[in-house]
C-alpha cells in the first residue's frame, strides 16, 4: 500500500555519517509528512463532483455542541471481596471487566448507582421547571400514570398521521426466573407495550398492543415462549402498521421472526405467524425502512455468528429471496440501523446474554453491504464504562427531525436478576466528520463520518427541538 511504502522508504537510504544521517532522514520524513498532510488537506477540502463541499464537522447545529462535550464519570469500585459466588467466579474467567463483574453482582454495594431507586425516578407528570425534559440514563422512568415504562428491547415509530411518537417494547412486568438451571433468566411473555408521546419525554401508556396467549400451548405467543425486540414500521401502500419481532421457545432453539399488523399505531396488532427468514435461524433483530420505502430485516443468524440482511416484500409481510451475510464470524447482535446523508450506519453489541459488552459502529454505502466496522462509538464516561456501552445494549437509533446528523441512541440496561427493573439508557448520537463516500478515498482509505455516542448523566434535547421539524 502506498502509505506503507512511504514509511518504508527511509529504511532503504544508505547513510554513513552517524547523527547527520538522522537529521537527513528527519528532514526527508518531515517533507514526506508535509506532503502527506497537504494531500490529505486538499482531498478533504476538494469539492464533490456535484459541487457539495465536504465538511469536516457534519454536525452544524450549535444546539448540539453542548451535548458533544466529553463528560467523565468516575465509578469507584469497592475492593474485590474475598469470596464471590461460583457464578461470579465463572464470569471472571470469561474475562469480564471488574466493572461488569461488579454490575452483575446482585449484592454489589454500587447497586444504587447502576439501578437508582424510586426516589430519583424521572416523573414527567410531577417534574416541572428546571428539570423538565431531562433524560437521566439508568433512572426509573415513569409514564403519565406514574408507572415505570415497560418497553424493553424497543423501538420508536414516528407516526406522521398523528404527529406522535410511538414507543414499542417488551412488557416485562412479571417475575424473573430460570426455566432450567442453566437457562437464561427470563420473564414470561406478557406482550408488546406501547407508549405515545409528542415530546419524546412524556409517555402515555397505550396498553399492550400484542398480548401473550394464555391457553394455547402451541401458539408462538404462549407465555412460556420468548417475544423480544419488537419493531414497528408503517407501510405507505397498504396503510398498515407492521410489527416484526424475535419469536423463540424457552431454550432459544426456534430462532424465528414473528409478524403482526394493525390499522392504527396503538393497536391492537393481529399476529400473523412466524418464520425462519430465508430458512435461517433468527434471534436478535431489527427492521429498517429506507427513504425509498423499501424495508429490510436485519437479524443475527447461524448461531449468532453472522448477521443477515434482506429486503422485505412490498407489503412488509414477508421477505424477498435476497439476503446478504455480514460480519461473518464476528458474533454481533442487538442491531440498530440508521442512515445519514446516503450512508447506512449500524450499532451492534457482542453476544453475552443480558450482560453488557462493547458496542461497535459500522458503516456501509449500501444496506446490503459491504459493511465496515468503525469501532467503539462511546465517548466520555471512563474506559471500563465505554467498553461496556455504559452498562447497556443497543436497541434502536432514532433520527431527530430538523437536526441532520443528530440521533437518540436507545439502549437497555438489563437487570438480569429482575428483568422488569431493566432501565433505559438514551444518549445523544452524533454523526460528525467528512460526509464522504468511499469512492472518494484519501490515500485509498475510505473516509467514513465518525459516529459518537456521548455519555451524559443528565441531558435534554435542545429547547424547541420539535418545532425544527
Ligand atoms: C441478548 C439479547 O440481545 C437479548 O435481546 C436477549 O435475547 C438476551 N440475550 C437473552 O439472554
Amino acid at each position: 500500500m502506498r502509505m506503507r511504502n512511504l514509511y518504508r522508504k527511509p529504511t532503504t537510504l544508505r547513510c554513513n555519517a552517524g547523527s547527520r544521517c538522522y537529521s537527513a532522514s528527519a528532514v526527508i520524513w518531515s517533507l514526506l509528512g508535509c506532503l502527506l498532510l497537504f494531500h490529505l488537506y486538499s482531498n478533504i477540502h476538494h469539492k464533490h463532483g456535484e459541487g457539495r463541499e465536504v465538511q469536516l464537522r457534519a454536525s452544524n447545529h450549535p444546539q448540539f455542541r453542548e451535548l458533544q462535550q466529553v463528560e467523565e464519570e468516575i465509578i469507584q469500585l469497592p475492593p474485590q471481596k474475598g469470596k464471590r459466588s461460583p457464578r461470579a467466579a465463572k464470569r471472571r474467567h470469561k474475562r469480564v471487566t471488574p466493572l461488569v463483574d461488579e454490575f452483575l453482582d446482585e449484592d454489589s454495594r454500587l447497586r444504587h448507582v447502576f439501578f437508582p431507586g424510586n426516589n430519583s425516578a424521572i416523573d414527567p407528570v410531577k417534574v416541572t421547571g428546571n428539570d423538565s425534559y431531562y433524560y437521566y440514563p439508568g433512572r426509573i422512568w415513569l409514564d403519565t400514570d406514574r408507572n415505570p415504562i415497560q418497553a424493553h428491547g424497543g423501538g420508536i415509530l414516528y407516526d406522521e398521521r398523528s404527529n406522535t411518537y410511538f414507543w414499542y417494547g417488551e412488557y416485562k412486568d412479571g417475575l424473573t426466573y430460570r426455566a432450567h438451571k442453566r437457562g437464561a433468566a427470563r420473564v414470561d411473555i406478557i406482550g408488546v407495550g406501547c407508549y405515545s408521546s409528542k415530546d419524546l419525554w412524556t409517555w402515555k401508556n397505550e396498553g399492550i398492543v400484542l398480548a401473550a396467549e394464555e391457553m394455547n400451548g402451541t401458539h408462538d405467543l404462549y407465555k412460556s415462549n420468548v417475544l423480544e425486540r419488537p419493531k414497528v414500521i408503517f407501510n405507505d401502500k397498504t396503510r398498515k402498521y407492521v410489527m416484526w419481532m424475535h419469536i423463540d421457545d424457552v431454550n432459544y432453539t426456534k430462532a424465528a421472526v414473528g409478524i403482526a399488523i394493525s390499522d392504527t399505531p396503538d393497536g391492537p396488532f393481529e399476529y400473523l405467524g412466524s418464520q425462519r427468514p430465508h430458512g435461517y435461524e433468527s434471534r436478535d433483530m431489527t427492521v429498517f425502512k429506507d427513504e425509498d420505502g423499501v424495508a429490510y430485516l436485519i437479524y443475527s443468524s447461524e448461531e449468532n455468528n453472522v448477521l443477515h440482511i434482506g429486503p422485505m416484500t412490498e407489503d412488509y409481510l414477508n421477505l424477498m429471496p435476497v439476503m446478504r451475510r455480514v460480519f461473518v464470524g464476528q458474533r454481533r447482535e442487538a442491531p440498530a440501523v440508521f442512515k445519514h446523508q446516503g450512508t447506512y450506519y449500524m450499532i451492534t453489541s457482542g453476544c453475552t446474554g443480558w450482560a453488557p459488552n462493547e458496542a461497535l459502529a459500522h458503516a456501509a454505502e449500501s444496506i446490503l453491504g459491504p459493511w465496515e466496522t468503525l469501532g467503539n462509538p462511546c465517548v466520555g464516561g471512563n474506559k471500563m464504562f465505554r467498553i461496556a456501552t455504559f452498562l447497556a445494549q443497543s436497541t434502536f437509533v432514532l433520527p431527530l427531525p430538523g437536526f441532520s446528523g443528530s440521533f437518540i441512541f436507545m439502549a437497555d440496561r438489563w437487570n438480569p436478576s429482575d428483568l422488569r427493573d431493566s432501565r433505559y439508557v438514551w444518549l445523544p448520537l452524533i454523526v460528525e466528520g467528512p460526509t464522504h463516500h468511499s469512492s472518494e478515498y484519501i490515500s485509498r482509505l475510505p473516509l467514513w463520518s465518525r459516529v459518537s455516542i456521548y455519555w451524559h448523566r443528565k441531558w435534554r434535547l435542545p429547547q424547541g427541538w420539535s418545532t425544527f421539524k
Side-chain angles (χ1 to χ4, degrees), residues 184 228-229 252 284 333 353-354 393:
E228 290 177 346
R229 299 186 176 270
Y252 287 87
D284 276 11
E333 63 177 9
W354 301 115
Q393 185 187 30

Side-chain angles (χ1 to χ4, degrees), residues 170-213:
E170 300 157 36
Y171 199 94
K172 283 185 128 46
D173 197 8
L175 199 74
T176 297
Y177 70 98
R178 280 174 203 278
H180 314 287
K181 225 171 159 193
R182 290 169 62 202
R186 58 167 280 120
V187 170
D188 278 350
I189 302 180
I190 296 169
V192 176
C194 172
Y195 295 81
S196 64
S197 175
K198 296 273 186 194
D199 61 14
L200 291 173
W201 189 69
T202 316
W203 292 94
K204 175 175 179 278
N205 186 355
E206 299 288 352
I208 289 172
V209 292
L210 179 69
E213 166 62 40

Side-chain angles (χ1 to χ4, degrees), residues 301-456:
S301 193
E302 304 179 47
E303 299 189 336
N304 283 351
N305 283 304
V306 184
L307 216 72
H308 288 187
I309 306 179
M312 295 179 187
T313 49
E314 264 194 44
D315 56 9
Y316 300 170
L317 301 181
N318 218 322
L319 290 164
M320 302 287 282
V322 174
M323 183 272 279
R324 295 284 183 279
R325 300 168 73 236
V326 303
F327 311 139
V328 176
Q330 294 178 39
R331 298 188 61 74
R332 306 305 298 169
E333 63 177 9
V337 177
F338 55 106
K339 190 178 184 183
H340 174 59
Q341 294 190 340
T343 300
Y344 298 86
Y345 297 92
M346 195 188 318
I347 308 289
T348 62
S349 78
C351 297
T352 52
W354 301 115
N357 57 52
E358 185 171 26
L360 290 176
H362 317 268
E365 285 182 8
S366 154
I367 192 166
L368 295 179
W371 281 85
E372 214 171 300
T373 297
L374 309 177
N376 182 339
C378 299
V379 177
N382 62 59
K383 192 175 174 206
M384 274 199 285
F385 207 28
R386 282 196 298 274
I387 61 175
T389 319
F390 311 121
L391 300 171
Q393 185 187 30
S394 44
T395 184
F396 198 75
V397 175
L398 178 70
L400 286 169
F403 292 109
S404 166
S406 308
F407 301 80
I408 296 181
F409 170 68
M410 293 168 56
D412 297 287
R413 180 174 293 173
W414 299 111
N415 183 344
S417 59
D418 189 8
L419 285 162
R420 82 177 102 198
D421 190 35
S422 300
R423 307 296 172 84
Y424 310 103
V425 172
W426 285 23
L427 289 168
L429 180 154
I430 312 281
V431 182
E432 51 199 329
T435 50
H436 268 272
H437 294 286
S438 60
S439 50
E440 293 148 337
Y441 280 16
I442 288 180
S443 299
R444 301 230 225 110
L445 296 173
L447 264 189
W448 298 109
S449 300
R450 196 185 330 135
V451 175
S452 309
I453 299 168
Y454 289 91
W455 169 252
H456 293 288

Side-chain angles (χ1 to χ4, degrees), residues 64-109:
F64 274 86
R65 297 251 160 82
E66 204 179 307
L67 298 176
Q68 289 171 263
Q69 302 292 320
V70 177
E71 189 177 311
E72 293 195 6
E73 182 73 66
I74 297 163
I75 302 174
Q76 207 72 55
L77 292 179
Q80 293 273 304
K81 287 182 220 156
K83 231 176 153 197
R84 282 268 164 99
S85 68
R87 210 182 294 152
K90 214 165 149 199
R91 276 198 308 267
R92 270 208 300 281
H93 279 124
K94 280 191 185 166
R95 283 203 268 133
V96 238
T97 66
L99 175 65
V100 172
D101 201 17
E102 191 67 39
F103 174 76
L104 295 175
D105 181 355
E106 288 162 36
D107 305 319
S108 167
R109 274 190 264 153

Side-chain angles (χ1 to χ4, degrees), residues 43-73:
N43 264 299
I44 287 169
H45 283 267
H46 89 284
K47 292 226 175 194
H48 278 252
E50 319 90 80
R52 185 160 48 94
E53 185 155 17
V54 177
Q55 311 253 325
L56 267 177
R57 296 187 75 79
S59 179
N60 294 318
H61 311 295
Q63 298 95 324
F64 274 86
R65 297 251 160 82
E66 204 179 307
L67 298 176
Q68 289 171 263
Q69 302 292 320
V70 177
E71 189 177 311
E72 293 195 6
E73 182 73 66

